[in-house]
C-alpha cells in the first residue's frame, strides 16, 4: 500500500522555529522521502531477483535505499510529532523512566543535548527491549539505528533542520527544540508499547 504524508506538521508558530524552516523541512524534505519510498517500493515489485548480487544489482540497491528511506520517513514523522509542545520537565510515565534509568532528568537532558552536538543526523531516546531500559542513541544517517528498541523522543540535528534559522549555531537550535518538546506525545508512545507495565 502506498505510503502517505502523515498529519504531523506542527500547528501554529513554534518558539524558535520560523515557518519557512518548518515548511522547507516538512513540505519539501519529508514529503520527498515519502514519495521516494513509494517509488522504491514500486520498482521493487518489478525487480529481477535472479540478478541479485552483493557488488551491484538493482535489487540490492533498491533494498538498501528502502531501509534508508523508511527510516528517514519514520524518524521525521516521530520528530515532527514530538515538537509543538511546551517543553519543560516531563511528567507521568516518561518522567519515572528517565529518573530510573538516567538517575535524574538533568542527567538525561545533559546527555541528550551533548549528543545533539556530537551526532550528524539524529538523537533518539528509545526504550531498548534487550535490557528494558531507556537509552539515548546517536544516529549519523537515517539507516543507522538499534533494532528492537522503541522510539520515544527524536531530535533531528541534520543541518537542514536548523540552518535557515540558526546558521551554524546548533546549540541555539537545541535550546529551541527543548522549548518545544511535546511530552504528552512521548507519554503516549510509552503507553502504546506498554513500557511502564514491563518494568
Ligand atoms: Fe530532517
Amino acid at each position: 500500500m502506498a505510503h502517505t504524508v502523515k498529519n504531523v506538521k506542527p500547528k501554529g508558530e513554534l518558539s524558535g522555529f520560523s515557518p519557512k524552516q518548518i515548511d522547507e523541512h516538512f513540505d519539501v524534505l519529508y514529503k520527498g522521502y515519502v514519495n521516494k519510498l513509494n517509488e522504491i517500493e514500486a520498482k521493487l515489485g518489478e525487480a529481477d531477483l535472479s540478478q541479485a548480487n552483493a557488488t551491484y544489482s538493482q535489487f540490492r540497491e533498491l533494498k538498501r535505499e528502502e531501509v534508508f528511506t523508511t527510516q528517514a520517513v519514520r524518524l521525521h514523522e516521530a520528530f515532527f510529532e514530538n515538537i509543538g509542545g511546551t517543553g519543560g520537565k516531563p511528567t507521568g510515565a516518561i518522567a519515572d523512566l528517565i529518573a530510573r534509568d538516567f538517575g535524574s532528568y538533568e542527567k538525561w537532558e545533559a546527555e541528550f543535548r551533548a549528543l545533539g552536538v556530537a551526532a550528524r543526523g539524529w538523537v533518539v531516546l528509545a526504550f531498548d527491549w534487550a535490557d528494558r531500559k531507556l537509552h539515548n542513541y546517536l544516529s549519523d544517517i537515517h539507516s543507522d539505528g538499534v533494532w528492537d528498541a522503541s522510539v520515544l523522543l527524536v531530535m533531528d540535528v541534520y543541518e537542514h533542520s536548523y540552518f535557515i534559522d540558526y546558521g551554524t549555531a546548533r546549540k541555539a537550535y537545541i535550546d529551541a527544540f527543548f522549548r518545544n518538546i511535546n511530552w504528552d506525545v512521548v507519554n503516549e508512545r510509552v503507553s502504546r508499547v506498554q513500557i511502564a507495565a514491563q518494568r
Side-chain angles (χ1 to χ4, degrees):
M1 201 177 88
H3 297 271
T4 55
V5 170
K6 287 235 171 91
N7 183 27
V8 290
K9 189 175 181 182
K11 311 262 189 301
E13 290 243 359
L14 274 62
S15 166
F17 288 79
S18 68
K20 181 172 175 57
Q21 180 70 71
I22 294 289
D23 288 350
E24 292 283 341
H25 200 176
F26 191 94
D27 296 329
V28 181
L29 288 166
Y30 161 62
K31 288 183 182 177
Y33 285 125
V34 174
N35 291 336
K36 278 293 174 189
L37 185 55
N38 286 325
E39 185 181 332
I40 290 164
E41 289 193 350
K43 287 187 175 159
L44 272 170
E46 303 158 2
D48 184 352
L49 305 191
S50 72
Q51 297 300 307
N53 181 287
T55 303
Y56 168 75
S57 59
Q58 185 196 33
F59 179 58
R60 176 193 150 74
E61 299 311 314
L62 285 167
K63 290 303 281 185
R64 266 173 60 86
E65 305 316 340
E66 177 190 39
V67 172
F68 177 87
T69 313
T70 296
Q71 287 296 91
V73 167
R74 291 185 186 176
L75 287 166
H76 276 103
E77 287 170 351
F79 167 72
F80 284 116
E81 191 183 43
N82 67 216
I83 57 174
T86 54
K89 281 192 178 183
T91 57
I94 189 60
D96 295 342
L97 287 168
I98 286 174
R100 185 194 69 171
D101 293 339
F102 290 90
S104 69
Y105 170 80
E106 287 72 21
K107 284 184 181 168
W108 167 80
E109 181 180 331
E111 184 179 288
F112 197 89
R113 283 176 176 269
L115 282 167
V117 176
R120 297 173 188 160
W122 299 97
V123 184
V124 178
L125 170 64
F127 182 85
D128 193 324
W129 292 91
D131 62 5
R132 295 182 180 275
K133 289 182 177 173
L134 298 189
H135 293 259
N136 287 326
Y137 284 128
L138 174 154
S139 170
D140 280 341
I141 190 168
H142 308 312
S143 45
D144 269 3
V146 174
W147 289 35
D148 207 15
S150 295
V151 169
L152 299 178
L153 177 70
V154 174
M155 178 167 69
D156 193 338
V157 293
Y158 279 97
E159 279 84 357
H160 68 236
S161 59
Y162 61 87
F163 231 72
I164 291 171
D165 288 341
Y166 295 101
T168 58
R170 191 190 288 197
K171 285 184 178 175
Y173 160 70
I174 294 171
D175 289 342
F177 174 83
F178 267 84
R179 288 199 301 278
N180 288 280
I181 294 175
N182 189 333
W183 287 111
D184 290 341
V185 166
V186 179
N187 268 318
E188 280 172 27
R189 292 174 184 162
V190 171
S191 62
R192 197 182 307 155
V193 289
Q194 296 187 302
I195 290 168
Q198 301 290 336
R199 283 186 282 173

